[in-house]
Amino acid sequence: MAVPYTLGLHEIAPDTHAYLQPNGSWGLSNAGLIVSGLEALLVDTLFTVPQTRDLLTAIERTLPAVTIGTLVNSHSDGDHWWGNQLLPHATVIASEAAAADMSGDHLHELLAAPGDLPLPRVVQDMRRAFDFTGIAPTLPNRTFSGELEVAVGRRTARLIEVGPAHTRGDVLVHVPDAGVLFAGDILFVGGHPVIHSGPVERWIAACDLILGLDVETIVPGHGPVVGKPEVRTFRGYLERVRDHAGRAHRAGVPVLRAAREMDLDGFEDWDDRERLLLNVGAVYRELNGDGTPGEEELLAGLDEFTDGRQKAPRQAPRQAPRQDPQRAPRLAPRPAAEVAALAGRLEGPAAALFTDGAGPLAGRPVLNVLATIGHHPDLLVALAPLLAQLNQGLLPFRERELAILRTAHRTGSAYEWEHHARLAVAAGLTGPEIARVQDGPEHPDWPEADRTLLRAVDELHDGHALAPDTWRALADRYRAPQLLELLALVGTYGMVAGILNSCEVPLDGWLAGASAVSG
């Protein structure tokens, strides 16, 4: 079953779901849900309380009658258990080794600490990207070693301890009747992993175990839902790290240089390349046998490693805009019927905005953004034709949605992001493309045309003018009317974002929980 890599809850087999968080970088992990009747088992919570609340809200909207009675934490990294407190009545299961590491974990306190701290850039980026306040560590209340079968209604989940590998207590969650495996961080897809513990041979053996299971659908800890071919690719990566680091260690090559010199042929497009230093260093630590180089020492060298590579790795992204569904708007939308009555003052596409129009909004009620601006009917009637023109104008659909998504991200407009992430899929943008909109024009995977468009949005946002080189590149690509339309598009959606953010316009109920992506 092909599963789109988009934010939210996806049914990947009957009564079996994955909650995905593109783009899978630092802190953007996946979770799983196994359902039987009204009972459910959740595989992992998320990095922060707000992220976990989004996860549970998505489950409640999709499966309102289901109760999560059991929670399995796949390992001890915070992005897989720091949201446990939101399930106070659940039986929380982890391996004994994972539970021991969780009991001594205070990293969230450092990440939530106020002020500037002397930390690697990637950690500083996480402090800016995520809200670590309010975390009250909730530890497992049931532990095991080896294997454990857990009943979920009439179904069975099989827990298989495979650590130490990524961490000391890694656990796979196998769902035999669905042919599904929740791999936790034993599998990363599209990005470099982190070897916190090792030995790397144990991790390779865990991959072999997965390849021997009767499963077709595999949910990694980070990245899109895949099958066994991606496990084989990942196994090959681990073997290459092992072999390269072993040769370099025998030759007396310093770990920093060894990481810089590793051959990444076939893996050059993987994200989070800074983790190479941690992985090569973990093999050195294993071979040294004396605990050196320690992970803290390696973390302290991340900036030097990053700055020393020709192609710097992508930093951890800022999260895409979010909305708190529990928060009341400052200015509540007017009743839809009252706003729809304004359609009589408009014609054509502008009038269709207030009715059950065609296209992506067919059959939908009046949008909350229109119902909010409807408190000023004359303003709304003046603005509606411009919005209709921009959305059916001269710019190609894909390029228009790309520009609007970047505008939504730069303005922090959760409402614009949620609506246009959905439209972007219809326009032909892929899940990974939507996910990296938040990384901006510097992400190495953008083709030059997209890079120029994203740069134009940033320049208009930051300085309200295009740089000469950007103007020339766009003028070579667009006719004058299209170029003017792009300027108006970014300006208009920036203005609307100010209204949405200031009035705290709530996301339309039919779309809540159906976002195409987050950061």
Side-chain angles (χ1 to χ4, degrees), residues 102-126:
M102 293 158 77
S103 66
D105 180 9
H106 299 284
L107 178 60
H108 67 281
E109 296 173 357
L110 174 66
L111 295 173
D116 294 329
L117 298 173
L119 298 168
R121 283 195 297 270
V122 68
V123 182
Q124 293 173 358
D125 288 340
M126 282 193 286

Side-chain angles (χ1 to χ4, degrees), residues 238-253:
L238 294 173
E239 288 183 317
R240 189 177 303 181
V241 170
R242 176 199 63 190
D243 295 345
H244 170 77
R247 288 191 298 269
H249 185 270
R250 288 190 295 273
V253 177

